[in-house]
C-alpha cells in the first residue's frame, strides 16, 4: 500500500509503483486528499501515469492536528480491511506521519522513501514528521550519505538503512522529453522563476511585502515569473498592489513547471524538492530559508541559502546573472534508477518474510 497526499509524493510514488509491477506486487494506492485542488493534485496523476487511487480519504485542509488526526481515522479501517504486507510512505507531509503511526500500531511494516533528511529546525512541522516517521519505520530509503549519518546518529539500526538515491529524479528524468514539448510560446529568453509556499514565509505579511517589493525591483532588470501556490495566493489577497511587473501565474502542471525550471536563469524558492530538481538540472537556485534538509544541494549542487535577507537575495542574484552561478555536480545515485533499487530491496525483504510467515514486526502476511 502506498499513501500520497501532496505534489512531491505523487512524483516519488509514480516510479516505484511502476518498478514494483514486474515482480507481481499487488498494490493499493491511497490518496489522502491533503491537496484537494485539482490543479495541484489530479493533474499529477494524469501526467505521471499513476493509476487512479484505489482509495481517496478526501481529508481536505485543516490545522496540522486536525488533518493528521483525520487521515489516521479514515486510513485505519482501510488498512484493517486490505491488510497490506507493507505500507510505503513518502517524504515529510502529514499523510506520511499519520500513515506511519496507524501502521505501526497495527503492526504493519513501514517503508519510508526519502528517510533521514534533517533541517535541524524543529519549528518546521515537516521536521517533526520526518523524525517520528523514521523512528517507527522498518525500511529506510535514503537519498544521500548525510541522511544515512543522521539516522545512525539517532540510533536507527544500520541494517534498516538503504541509500538508494533520489526517487524524485526518476520522475524528472523520465519526463524531461515531454517537458521540452511543454514550453510556452511566449516564454522570454531570460527570466527568474519564483515559487513560495512554506507557512513560515507566506504567513508572515511583512516578509511577503518585502519579498514582493524585492521581486518587483528585480523585474525591472529581468522578467520574473511567479506561479502562485493556492496557499500563497490566499496570503497575497491583500497585497495585490505590490507585485508590479512580476508575472503571476496559476499553479502549473508538473510538465509545465519542469519546462520553466529547465530554462530559468535562476530559481528563487523555499521548496525542498525544487532545490533537488535545480541541482540535477544545473540551474542556479536561491533558497529563501535559513536551513535545508537537503544539504547535498548546497555542497554538491547549485543551491545557495539566502534566508530571508533581501539584500543577500539581491547580491547573490547579481553574482549569478554576471557569472552564471557556482560550479555544481549531480549527487551520487541521482541517476533515474532509484525506484528499481527500492523495488529490489522490497523484493528481498518479502523473500525473507513471505506471506503467511512471521515478519520482522511479529505479524502475519
Amino acid at each position: 500500500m502506498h499513501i500520497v497526499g501532496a505534489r512531491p509524493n505523487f512524483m516519488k510514488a509514480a516510479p516505484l509503483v511502476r518498478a514494483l509491477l514486474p515482480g507481481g506486487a499487488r498494490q493499493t494506492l491511497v490518496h489522502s486528499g491533503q491537496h484537494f485542488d485539482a490543479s495541484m493534485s489530479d493533474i499529477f496523476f494524469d501526467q505521471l501515469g499513476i493509476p487512479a487511487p484505489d482509495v481517496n480519504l478526501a481529508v481536505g485542509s485543516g490545522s496540522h492536528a486536525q488533518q493528521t488526526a483525520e487521515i489516521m481515522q479514515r486510513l485505519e479501517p482501510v488498512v484493517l480491511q486490505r491488510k497490506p504486507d507493507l505500507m510505503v510512505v513518502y517524504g515529510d507531509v502529514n499523510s506520511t506521519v499519520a500513515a506511519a503511526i496507524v501502521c505501526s500500531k497495527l503492526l504493519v511494516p513501514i517503508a519510508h522513501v526519502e528517510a533521514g533528511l534533517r533541517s535541524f529546525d524543529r519549528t518546521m512541522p515537516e521536521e517533526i514528521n520526518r523524525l517520528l516517521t523514521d523512528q517507527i519505520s522498518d525500511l529506510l530509503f535514503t537519498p544521500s550519505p548525510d541522511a544515512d549519518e543522521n539516522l545512525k546518529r539517532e540510533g536507527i539500526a544500520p541494517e534498516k538503512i538503504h541509500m538508494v538515491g533520489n526517487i524524485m529524479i526518476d520522475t524528472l528524468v523520465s519526463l524531461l522529453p515531454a517537458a521540452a514539448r511543454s514550453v510556452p510560446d511566449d516564454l522570454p529568453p531570460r527570466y527568474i522563476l519564483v515559487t513560495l509556499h512554506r507557512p513560515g514565509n507566506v504567513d508572515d505579511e511583512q516578509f511577503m511585502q518585502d519579498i514582493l517589493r524585492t521581486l518587483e525591483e528585480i523585474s525591472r532588470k529581468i522578467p520574473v515569473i511567479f506561479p502562485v501556490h493556492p496557499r500563497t495566493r490566499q496570503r497575497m489577497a491583500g497585497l495585490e498592489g505590490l507585485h508590479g511587473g512580476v508575472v503571476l501565474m496559476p499553479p502549473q502542471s508538473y510538465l509545465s513547471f519542469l519546462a520553466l525550471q529547465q530554462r530559468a536563469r535562476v530559481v528563487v524558492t523555499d521548496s525542498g524538492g525544487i532545490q533537488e530538481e535545480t541541482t540535477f538540472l544545473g540551474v542556479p537556485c536561491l533558497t529563501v530559508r535559513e536551513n535545508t534538509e537537503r544539504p547535498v544541494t548546497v555542497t554538491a549542487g547549485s543551491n545557495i541559502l539566502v534566508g530571508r535577507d533581501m539584500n543577500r537575495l539581491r547580491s547573490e542574484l547579481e553574482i549569478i546573472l554576471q557569472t552564471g552561478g557556482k560550479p555544481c555536480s549531480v549527487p551520487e545515485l541521482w541517476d533515474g534508477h532509484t525506484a528499481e533499487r527500492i523495488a529490489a530491496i522490497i523484493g528481498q525483504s518479502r523473500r525473507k518474510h513471505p506471506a503467511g510467515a512471521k515478519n520482522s514486526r511479529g505479524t502475519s502476511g
Side-chain angles (χ1 to χ4, degrees), residues 112-117 140-148 151 161-169 276 293-294 296 331-334 338 341-342:
H112 186 198
V113 176
E114 200 181 71
L117 298 184
L140 296 102
F141 297 116
T142 65
S144 50
D146 59 283
D148 288 30
L151 293 172
I161 304 169
H162 305 273
M163 194 178 86
V164 292
N166 190 334
I167 199 167
M168 187 136 54
I169 302 304
E276 295 173 327
E293 63 280 2
R294 295 162 172 86
V296 70
E332 181 184 4
L333 298 182
W334 292 26
T338 292
R341 289 186 281 269
I342 294 175

PDB file of all heavy atoms in Angstrom, residues 112-117 140-148 151 161-169 276 293-294 296 331-334 338 341-342:
ATOM      1  N   HIS A 112       9.914   3.927   4.480  1.00  0.00           N
ATOM      2  CA  HIS A 112       9.937   5.383   4.317  1.00  0.00           C
ATOM      3  C   HIS A 112      10.878   5.750   3.181  1.00  0.00           C
ATOM      4  O   HIS A 112      12.089   5.541   3.277  1.00  0.00           O
ATOM      5  CB  HIS A 112      10.372   6.066   5.612  1.00  0.00           C
ATOM      6  CG  HIS A 112      10.282   7.558   5.555  1.00  0.00           C
ATOM      7  ND1 HIS A 112      10.936   8.383   6.447  1.00  0.00           N
ATOM      8  CD2 HIS A 112       9.621   8.386   4.705  1.00  0.00           C
ATOM      9  CE1 HIS A 112      10.664   9.643   6.151  1.00  0.00           C
ATOM     10  NE2 HIS A 112       9.870   9.670   5.090  1.00  0.00           N
ATOM     11  N   VAL A 113      10.305   6.265   2.109  1.00  0.00           N
ATOM     12  CA  VAL A 113      11.087   6.728   0.968  1.00  0.00           C
ATOM     13  C   VAL A 113      11.439   8.193   1.187  1.00  0.00           C
ATOM     14  O   VAL A 113      10.561   9.014   1.404  1.00  0.00           O
ATOM     15  CB  VAL A 113      10.299   6.556  -0.347  1.00  0.00           C
ATOM     16  CG1 VAL A 113      11.085   7.129  -1.523  1.00  0.00           C
ATOM     17  CG2 VAL A 113       9.975   5.081  -0.584  1.00  0.00           C
ATOM     18  N   GLU A 114      12.722   8.493   1.157  1.00  0.00           N
ATOM     19  CA  GLU A 114      13.293   9.807   1.442  1.00  0.00           C
ATOM     20  C   GLU A 114      13.473   9.972   2.952  1.00  0.00           C
ATOM     21  O   GLU A 114      13.163  11.010   3.535  1.00  0.00           O
ATOM     22  CB  GLU A 114      12.445  10.949   0.882  1.00  0.00           C
ATOM     23  CG  GLU A 114      13.217  12.247   0.725  1.00  0.00           C
ATOM     24  CD  GLU A 114      12.373  13.375   0.186  1.00  0.00           C
ATOM     25  OE1 GLU A 114      11.494  13.878   0.912  1.00  0.00           O
ATOM     26  OE2 GLU A 114      12.609  13.746  -0.976  1.00  0.00           O
ATOM     27  N   ALA A 115      14.003   8.935   3.565  1.00  0.00           N
ATOM     28  CA  ALA A 115      14.253   8.946   5.004  1.00  0.00           C
ATOM     29  C   ALA A 115      15.547   9.687   5.322  1.00  0.00           C
ATOM     30  O   ALA A 115      16.417   9.861   4.471  1.00  0.00           O
ATOM     31  CB  ALA A 115      14.331   7.510   5.534  1.00  0.00           C
ATOM     32  N   GLY A 116      15.678  10.110   6.569  1.00  0.00           N
ATOM     33  CA  GLY A 116      16.933  10.636   7.091  1.00  0.00           C
ATOM     34  C   GLY A 116      17.233  12.094   6.822  1.00  0.00           C
ATOM     35  O   GLY A 116      18.249  12.607   7.298  1.00  0.00           O
ATOM     36  N   LEU A 117      16.382  12.794   6.097  1.00  0.00           N
ATOM     37  CA  LEU A 117      16.651  14.209   5.837  1.00  0.00           C
ATOM     38  C   LEU A 117      16.350  15.027   7.093  1.00  0.00           C
ATOM     39  O   LEU A 117      15.349  14.804   7.768  1.00  0.00           O
ATOM     40  CB  LEU A 117      15.798  14.703   4.669  1.00  0.00           C
ATOM     41  CG  LEU A 117      16.048  14.027   3.321  1.00  0.00           C
ATOM     42  CD1 LEU A 117      15.210  14.674   2.237  1.00  0.00           C
ATOM     43  CD2 LEU A 117      17.523  14.071   2.958  1.00  0.00           C
ATOM     44  N   LEU A 140      14.268   2.063   5.622  1.00  0.00           N
ATOM     45  CA  LEU A 140      14.503   3.496   5.470  1.00  0.00           C
ATOM     46  C   LEU A 140      15.354   3.716   4.228  1.00  0.00           C
ATOM     47  O   LEU A 140      16.537   3.346   4.203  1.00  0.00           O
ATOM     48  CB  LEU A 140      15.173   4.060   6.722  1.00  0.00           C
ATOM     49  CG  LEU A 140      14.283   3.957   7.982  1.00  0.00           C
ATOM     50  CD1 LEU A 140      14.741   2.792   8.852  1.00  0.00           C
ATOM     51  CD2 LEU A 140      14.288   5.249   8.782  1.00  0.00           C
ATOM     52  N   PHE A 141      14.735   4.285   3.211  1.00  0.00           N
ATOM     53  CA  PHE A 141      15.393   4.502   1.921  1.00  0.00           C
ATOM     54  C   PHE A 141      15.858   5.956   1.844  1.00  0.00           C
ATOM     55  O   PHE A 141      15.042   6.877   1.837  1.00  0.00           O
ATOM     56  CB  PHE A 141      14.438   4.187   0.775  1.00  0.00           C
ATOM     57  CG  PHE A 141      14.013   2.741   0.746  1.00  0.00           C
ATOM     58  CD1 PHE A 141      12.685   2.391   0.947  1.00  0.00           C
ATOM     59  CD2 PHE A 141      14.941   1.732   0.531  1.00  0.00           C
ATOM     60  CE1 PHE A 141      12.283   1.060   0.921  1.00  0.00           C
ATOM     61  CE2 PHE A 141      14.558   0.399   0.501  1.00  0.00           C
ATOM     62  CZ  PHE A 141      13.228   0.061   0.700  1.00  0.00           C
ATOM     63  N   THR A 142      17.182   6.143   1.796  1.00  0.00           N
ATOM     64  CA  THR A 142      17.746   7.492   1.880  1.00  0.00           C
ATOM     65  C   THR A 142      18.265   7.968   0.531  1.00  0.00           C
ATOM     66  O   THR A 142      18.673   7.164  -0.305  1.00  0.00           O
ATOM     67  CB  THR A 142      18.892   7.533   2.906  1.00  0.00           C
ATOM     68  OG1 THR A 142      19.969   6.706   2.433  1.00  0.00           O
ATOM     69  CG2 THR A 142      18.431   7.036   4.264  1.00  0.00           C
ATOM     70  N   PRO A 143      18.287   9.298   0.317  1.00  0.00           N
ATOM     71  CA  PRO A 143      18.744   9.841  -0.956  1.00  0.00           C
ATOM     72  C   PRO A 143      20.216  10.226  -1.003  1.00  0.00           C
ATOM     73  O   PRO A 143      20.745  10.484  -2.080  1.00  0.00           O
ATOM     74  CB  PRO A 143      17.873  11.088  -1.131  1.00  0.00           C
ATOM     75  CG  PRO A 143      17.640  11.554   0.278  1.00  0.00           C
ATOM     76  CD  PRO A 143      17.577  10.309   1.127  1.00  0.00           C
ATOM     77  N   SER A 144      20.892  10.286   0.169  1.00  0.00           N
ATOM     78  CA  SER A 144      22.256  10.823   0.191  1.00  0.00           C
ATOM     79  C   SER A 144      22.973  10.384   1.462  1.00  0.00           C
ATOM     80  O   SER A 144      22.330  10.017   2.457  1.00  0.00           O
ATOM     81  CB  SER A 144      22.214  12.356   0.107  1.00  0.00           C
ATOM     82  OG  SER A 144      21.316  12.892   1.066  1.00  0.00           O
ATOM     83  N   PRO A 145      24.314  10.414   1.465  1.00  0.00           N
ATOM     84  CA  PRO A 145      25.067   9.942   2.638  1.00  0.00           C
ATOM     85  C   PRO A 145      24.748  10.686   3.930  1.00  0.00           C
ATOM     86  O   PRO A 145      24.773  10.083   5.010  1.00  0.00           O
ATOM     87  CB  PRO A 145      26.527  10.151   2.214  1.00  0.00           C
ATOM     88  CG  PRO A 145      26.515  10.125   0.726  1.00  0.00           C
ATOM     89  CD  PRO A 145      25.203  10.752   0.334  1.00  0.00           C
ATOM     90  N   ASP A 146      24.474  11.992   3.858  1.00  0.00           N
ATOM     91  CA  ASP A 146      24.173  12.733   5.077  1.00  0.00           C
ATOM     92  C   ASP A 146      22.923  12.186   5.766  1.00  0.00           C
ATOM     93  O   ASP A 146      22.836  12.180   7.003  1.00  0.00           O
ATOM     94  CB  ASP A 146      24.005  14.227   4.780  1.00  0.00           C
ATOM     95  CG  ASP A 146      22.895  14.491   3.776  1.00  0.00           C
ATOM     96  OD1 ASP A 146      23.120  14.265   2.573  1.00  0.00           O
ATOM     97  OD2 ASP A 146      21.794  14.914   4.189  1.00  0.00           O
ATOM     98  N   ALA A 147      21.970  11.698   4.982  1.00  0.00           N
ATOM     99  CA  ALA A 147      20.756  11.120   5.562  1.00  0.00           C
ATOM    100  C   ALA A 147      21.078   9.837   6.329  1.00  0.00           C
ATOM    101  O   ALA A 147      20.535   9.591   7.416  1.00  0.00           O
ATOM    102  CB  ALA A 147      19.729  10.850   4.468  1.00  0.00           C
ATOM    103  N   ASP A 148      21.969   9.019   5.769  1.00  0.00           N
ATOM    104  CA  ASP A 148      22.405   7.807   6.475  1.00  0.00           C
ATOM    105  C   ASP A 148      23.016   8.167   7.828  1.00  0.00           C
ATOM    106  O   ASP A 148      22.719   7.533   8.858  1.00  0.00           O
ATOM    107  CB  ASP A 148      23.451   7.054   5.644  1.00  0.00           C
ATOM    108  CG  ASP A 148      22.862   6.369   4.425  1.00  0.00           C
ATOM    109  OD1 ASP A 148      21.852   6.874   3.887  1.00  0.00           O
ATOM    110  OD2 ASP A 148      23.399   5.334   4.010  1.00  0.00           O
ATOM    111  N   LEU A 151      20.464   9.193  10.494  1.00  0.00           N
ATOM    112  CA  LEU A 151      19.717   8.064  11.051  1.00  0.00           C
ATOM    113  C   LEU A 151      20.566   7.269  12.040  1.00  0.00           C
ATOM    114  O   LEU A 151      20.093   6.877  13.115  1.00  0.00           O
ATOM    115  CB  LEU A 151      19.223   7.161   9.926  1.00  0.00           C
ATOM    116  CG  LEU A 151      18.160   7.776   8.998  1.00  0.00           C
ATOM    117  CD1 LEU A 151      17.890   6.859   7.818  1.00  0.00           C
ATOM    118  CD2 LEU A 151      16.872   8.057   9.761  1.00  0.00           C
ATOM    119  N   ILE A 161      18.775   0.737   7.064  1.00  0.00           N
ATOM    120  CA  ILE A 161      19.063   1.917   6.250  1.00  0.00           C
ATOM    121  C   ILE A 161      19.609   1.491   4.883  1.00  0.00           C
ATOM    122  O   ILE A 161      20.532   0.678   4.796  1.00  0.00           O
ATOM    123  CB  ILE A 161      20.079   2.823   6.961  1.00  0.00           C
ATOM    124  CG1 ILE A 161      19.562   3.216   8.358  1.00  0.00           C
ATOM    125  CG2 ILE A 161      20.380   4.063   6.121  1.00  0.00           C
ATOM    126  CD1 ILE A 161      20.603   3.893   9.231  1.00  0.00           C
ATOM    127  N   HIS A 162      19.041   2.056   3.821  1.00  0.00           N
ATOM    128  CA  HIS A 162      19.470   1.720   2.468  1.00  0.00           C
ATOM    129  C   HIS A 162      19.596   3.014   1.653  1.00  0.00           C
ATOM    130  O   HIS A 162      18.586   3.667   1.383  1.00  0.00           O
ATOM    131  CB  HIS A 162      18.453   0.800   1.783  1.00  0.00           C
ATOM    132  CG  HIS A 162      18.157  -0.448   2.558  1.00  0.00           C
ATOM    133  ND1 HIS A 162      18.904  -1.600   2.436  1.00  0.00           N
ATOM    134  CD2 HIS A 162      17.196  -0.709   3.495  1.00  0.00           C
ATOM    135  CE1 HIS A 162      18.415  -2.524   3.239  1.00  0.00           C
ATOM    136  NE2 HIS A 162      17.381  -2.015   3.897  1.00  0.00           N
ATOM    137  N   MET A 163      20.808   3.389   1.280  1.00  0.00           N
ATOM    138  CA  MET A 163      20.972   4.554   0.424  1.00  0.00           C
ATOM    139  C   MET A 163      20.689   4.137  -1.019  1.00  0.00           C
ATOM    140  O   MET A 163      21.384   3.295  -1.584  1.00  0.00           O
ATOM    141  CB  MET A 163      22.377   5.156   0.522  1.00  0.00           C
ATOM    142  CG  MET A 163      22.435   6.552  -0.109  1.00  0.00           C
ATOM    143  SD  MET A 163      24.040   7.355   0.011  1.00  0.00           S
ATOM    144  CE  MET A 163      24.848   6.696  -1.434  1.00  0.00           C
ATOM    145  N   VAL A 164      19.651   4.709  -1.588  1.00  0.00           N
ATOM    146  CA  VAL A 164      19.179   4.291  -2.914  1.00  0.00           C
ATOM    147  C   VAL A 164      19.194   5.423  -3.937  1.00  0.00           C
ATOM    148  O   VAL A 164      18.978   5.195  -5.124  1.00  0.00           O
ATOM    149  CB  VAL A 164      17.750   3.717  -2.821  1.00  0.00           C
ATOM    150  CG1 VAL A 164      17.744   2.403  -2.052  1.00  0.00           C
ATOM    151  CG2 VAL A 164      16.790   4.725  -2.169  1.00  0.00           C
ATOM    152  N   GLY A 165      19.437   6.663  -3.483  1.00  0.00           N
ATOM    153  CA  GLY A 165      19.378   7.803  -4.388  1.00  0.00           C
ATOM    154  C   GLY A 165      18.056   8.544  -4.262  1.00  0.00           C
ATOM    155  O   GLY A 165      17.229   8.253  -3.390  1.00  0.00           O
ATOM    156  N   ASN A 166      17.856   9.484  -5.144  1.00  0.00           N
ATOM    157  CA  ASN A 166      16.720  10.404  -5.067  1.00  0.00           C
ATOM    158  C   ASN A 166      15.632   9.975  -6.039  1.00  0.00           C
ATOM    159  O   ASN A 166      15.775  10.116  -7.256  1.00  0.00           O
ATOM    160  CB  ASN A 166      17.209  11.821  -5.397  1.00  0.00           C
ATOM    161  CG  ASN A 166      16.158  12.871  -5.116  1.00  0.00           C
ATOM    162  OD1 ASN A 166      14.963  12.591  -5.130  1.00  0.00           O
ATOM    163  ND2 ASN A 166      16.598  14.084  -4.855  1.00  0.00           N
ATOM    164  N   ILE A 167      14.526   9.468  -5.527  1.00  0.00           N
ATOM    165  CA  ILE A 167      13.475   8.930  -6.390  1.00  0.00           C
ATOM    166  C   ILE A 167      12.773  10.016  -7.199  1.00  0.00           C
ATOM    167  O   ILE A 167      12.234   9.751  -8.274  1.00  0.00           O
ATOM    168  CB  ILE A 167      12.458   8.118  -5.561  1.00  0.00           C
ATOM    169  CG1 ILE A 167      11.657   7.191  -6.479  1.00  0.00           C
ATOM    170  CG2 ILE A 167      11.558   9.044  -4.743  1.00  0.00           C
ATOM    171  CD1 ILE A 167      10.858   6.148  -5.742  1.00  0.00           C
ATOM    172  N   MET A 168      12.786  11.258  -6.712  1.00  0.00           N
ATOM    173  CA  MET A 168      12.155  12.325  -7.478  1.00  0.00           C
ATOM    174  C   MET A 168      12.890  12.556  -8.802  1.00  0.00           C
ATOM    175  O   MET A 168      12.288  12.965  -9.800  1.00  0.00           O
ATOM    176  CB  MET A 168      12.110  13.628  -6.677  1.00  0.00           C
ATOM    177  CG  MET A 168      11.324  14.723  -7.356  1.00  0.00           C
ATOM    178  SD  MET A 168      10.226  15.639  -6.282  1.00  0.00           S
ATOM    179  CE  MET A 168      11.282  16.187  -4.994  1.00  0.00           C
ATOM    180  N   ILE A 169      14.179  12.262  -8.822  1.00  0.00           N
ATOM    181  CA  ILE A 169      14.946  12.416 -10.061  1.00  0.00           C
ATOM    182  C   ILE A 169      14.514  11.383 -11.097  1.00  0.00           C
ATOM    183  O   ILE A 169      14.597  11.630 -12.297  1.00  0.00           O
ATOM    184  CB  ILE A 169      16.453  12.318  -9.766  1.00  0.00           C
ATOM    185  CG1 ILE A 169      16.869  13.390  -8.743  1.00  0.00           C
ATOM    186  CG2 ILE A 169      17.280  12.463 -11.044  1.00  0.00           C
ATOM    187  CD1 ILE A 169      16.540  14.819  -9.135  1.00  0.00           C
ATOM    188  N   GLU A 276      16.334  20.162  -5.110  1.00  0.00           N
ATOM    189  CA  GLU A 276      16.884  18.946  -5.705  1.00  0.00           C
ATOM    190  C   GLU A 276      16.805  18.983  -7.230  1.00  0.00           C
ATOM    191  O   GLU A 276      17.761  18.628  -7.930  1.00  0.00           O
ATOM    192  CB  GLU A 276      16.124  17.728  -5.182  1.00  0.00           C
ATOM    193  CG  GLU A 276      16.298  17.500  -3.697  1.00  0.00           C
ATOM    194  CD  GLU A 276      15.409  16.395  -3.169  1.00  0.00           C
ATOM    195  OE1 GLU A 276      14.290  16.212  -3.686  1.00  0.00           O
ATOM    196  OE2 GLU A 276      15.844  15.712  -2.227  1.00  0.00           O
ATOM    197  N   GLU A 293      16.940  20.711   4.679  1.00  0.00           N
ATOM    198  CA  GLU A 293      17.082  19.294   4.978  1.00  0.00           C
ATOM    199  C   GLU A 293      17.777  18.550   3.843  1.00  0.00           C
ATOM    200  O   GLU A 293      17.981  17.343   3.912  1.00  0.00           O
ATOM    201  CB  GLU A 293      15.707  18.664   5.261  1.00  0.00           C
ATOM    202  CG  GLU A 293      14.737  18.681   4.102  1.00  0.00           C
ATOM    203  CD  GLU A 293      14.040  20.024   3.912  1.00  0.00           C
ATOM    204  OE1 GLU A 293      14.339  20.982   4.658  1.00  0.00           O
ATOM    205  OE2 GLU A 293      13.183  20.108   3.015  1.00  0.00           O
ATOM    206  N   ARG A 294      18.182  19.280   2.822  1.00  0.00           N
ATOM    207  CA  ARG A 294      18.869  18.706   1.672  1.00  0.00           C
ATOM    208  C   ARG A 294      20.230  19.392   1.482  1.00  0.00           C
ATOM    209  O   ARG A 294      20.466  20.060   0.476  1.00  0.00           O
ATOM    210  CB  ARG A 294      18.006  18.852   0.425  1.00  0.00           C
ATOM    211  CG  ARG A 294      16.698  18.049   0.494  1.00  0.00           C
ATOM    212  CD  ARG A 294      15.691  18.541  -0.507  1.00  0.00           C
ATOM    213  NE  ARG A 294      14.526  17.679  -0.588  1.00  0.00           N
ATOM    214  CZ  ARG A 294      13.443  17.757   0.196  1.00  0.00           C
ATOM    215  NH1 ARG A 294      13.400  18.682   1.155  1.00  0.00           N
ATOM    216  NH2 ARG A 294      12.422  16.936   0.046  1.00  0.00           N
ATOM    217  N   VAL A 296      23.035  18.396   0.627  1.00  0.00           N
ATOM    218  CA  VAL A 296      23.815  17.977  -0.543  1.00  0.00           C
ATOM    219  C   VAL A 296      23.574  18.911  -1.723  1.00  0.00           C
ATOM    220  O   VAL A 296      24.446  19.074  -2.583  1.00  0.00           O
ATOM    221  CB  VAL A 296      23.483  16.511  -0.911  1.00  0.00           C
ATOM    222  CG1 VAL A 296      22.071  16.376  -1.486  1.00  0.00           C
ATOM    223  CG2 VAL A 296      24.509  15.938  -1.890  1.00  0.00           C
ATOM    224  N   PRO A 331      24.602  14.653  -7.380  1.00  0.00           N
ATOM    225  CA  PRO A 331      24.982  13.744  -6.294  1.00  0.00           C
ATOM    226  C   PRO A 331      24.919  12.267  -6.692  1.00  0.00           C
ATOM    227  O   PRO A 331      24.233  11.892  -7.652  1.00  0.00           O
ATOM    228  CB  PRO A 331      23.959  14.070  -5.198  1.00  0.00           C
ATOM    229  CG  PRO A 331      23.536  15.474  -5.482  1.00  0.00           C
ATOM    230  CD  PRO A 331      23.538  15.583  -6.984  1.00  0.00           C
ATOM    231  N   GLU A 332      25.612  11.457  -5.922  1.00  0.00           N
ATOM    232  CA  GLU A 332      25.690  10.017  -6.160  1.00  0.00           C
ATOM    233  C   GLU A 332      24.298   9.378  -6.180  1.00  0.00           C
ATOM    234  O   GLU A 332      23.459   9.656  -5.326  1.00  0.00           O
ATOM    235  CB  GLU A 332      26.535   9.378  -5.051  1.00  0.00           C
ATOM    236  CG  GLU A 332      26.723   7.885  -5.172  1.00  0.00           C
ATOM    237  CD  GLU A 332      27.493   7.301  -3.992  1.00  0.00           C
ATOM    238  OE1 GLU A 332      27.815   8.062  -3.056  1.00  0.00           O
ATOM    239  OE2 GLU A 332      27.756   6.086  -4.028  1.00  0.00           O
ATOM    240  N   LEU A 333      24.083   8.498  -7.166  1.00  0.00           N
ATOM    241  CA  LEU A 333      22.859   7.713  -7.331  1.00  0.00           C
ATOM    242  C   LEU A 333      21.637   8.544  -7.715  1.00  0.00           C
ATOM    243  O   LEU A 333      20.517   8.028  -7.713  1.00  0.00           O
ATOM    244  CB  LEU A 333      22.548   6.886  -6.070  1.00  0.00           C
ATOM    245  CG  LEU A 333      23.582   5.821  -5.661  1.00  0.00           C
ATOM    246  CD1 LEU A 333      23.105   5.063  -4.428  1.00  0.00           C
ATOM    247  CD2 LEU A 333      23.866   4.864  -6.805  1.00  0.00           C
ATOM    248  N   TRP A 334      21.820   9.792  -8.070  1.00  0.00           N
ATOM    249  CA  TRP A 334      20.708  10.570  -8.620  1.00  0.00           C
ATOM    250  C   TRP A 334      20.710  10.342 -10.130  1.00  0.00           C
ATOM    251  O   TRP A 334      21.031  11.237 -10.914  1.00  0.00           O
ATOM    252  CB  TRP A 334      20.867  12.050  -8.286  1.00  0.00           C
ATOM    253  CG  TRP A 334      20.703  12.375  -6.820  1.00  0.00           C
ATOM    254  CD1 TRP A 334      20.911  11.547  -5.763  1.00  0.00           C
ATOM    255  CD2 TRP A 334      20.298  13.632  -6.263  1.00  0.00           C
ATOM    256  NE1 TRP A 334      20.678  12.206  -4.585  1.00  0.00           N
ATOM    257  CE2 TRP A 334      20.306  13.491  -4.861  1.00  0.00           C
ATOM    258  CE3 TRP A 334      19.959  14.871  -6.827  1.00  0.00           C
ATOM    259  CZ2 TRP A 334      19.959  14.542  -4.004  1.00  0.00           C
ATOM    260  CZ3 TRP A 334      19.627  15.914  -5.969  1.00  0.00           C
ATOM    261  CH2 TRP A 334      19.614  15.755  -4.574  1.00  0.00           C
ATOM    262  N   THR A 338      16.492   4.983  -9.010  1.00  0.00           N
ATOM    263  CA  THR A 338      16.256   4.785  -7.578  1.00  0.00           C
ATOM    264  C   THR A 338      15.099   3.828  -7.317  1.00  0.00           C
ATOM    265  O   THR A 338      15.181   2.952  -6.445  1.00  0.00           O
ATOM    266  CB  THR A 338      16.005   6.140  -6.898  1.00  0.00           C
ATOM    267  OG1 THR A 338      17.214   6.901  -6.917  1.00  0.00           O
ATOM    268  CG2 THR A 338      15.546   5.970  -5.460  1.00  0.00           C
ATOM    269  N   ARG A 341      16.053   0.235  -7.490  1.00  0.00           N
ATOM    270  CA  ARG A 341      16.806  -0.230  -6.326  1.00  0.00           C
ATOM    271  C   ARG A 341      15.880  -0.480  -5.135  1.00  0.00           C
ATOM    272  O   ARG A 341      16.036  -1.470  -4.400  1.00  0.00           O
ATOM    273  CB  ARG A 341      17.899   0.783  -5.968  1.00  0.00           C
ATOM    274  CG  ARG A 341      19.054   0.807  -6.979  1.00  0.00           C
ATOM    275  CD  ARG A 341      20.182   1.712  -6.522  1.00  0.00           C
ATOM    276  NE  ARG A 341      19.897   3.113  -6.753  1.00  0.00           N
ATOM    277  CZ  ARG A 341      20.232   3.779  -7.865  1.00  0.00           C
ATOM    278  NH1 ARG A 341      20.844   3.161  -8.856  1.00  0.00           N
ATOM    279  NH2 ARG A 341      19.964   5.068  -7.986  1.00  0.00           N
ATOM    280  N   ILE A 342      14.902   0.408  -4.941  1.00  0.00           N
ATOM    281  CA  ILE A 342      13.949   0.223  -3.847  1.00  0.00           C
ATOM    282  C   ILE A 342      13.133  -1.048  -4.067  1.00  0.00           C
ATOM    283  O   ILE A 342      12.927  -1.854  -3.141  1.00  0.00           O
ATOM    284  CB  ILE A 342      13.023   1.442  -3.711  1.00  0.00           C
ATOM    285  CG1 ILE A 342      13.822   2.683  -3.282  1.00  0.00           C
ATOM    286  CG2 ILE A 342      11.893   1.168  -2.715  1.00  0.00           C
ATOM    287  CD1 ILE A 342      13.005   3.960  -3.245  1.00  0.00           C
TER     288      ILE A 342
END
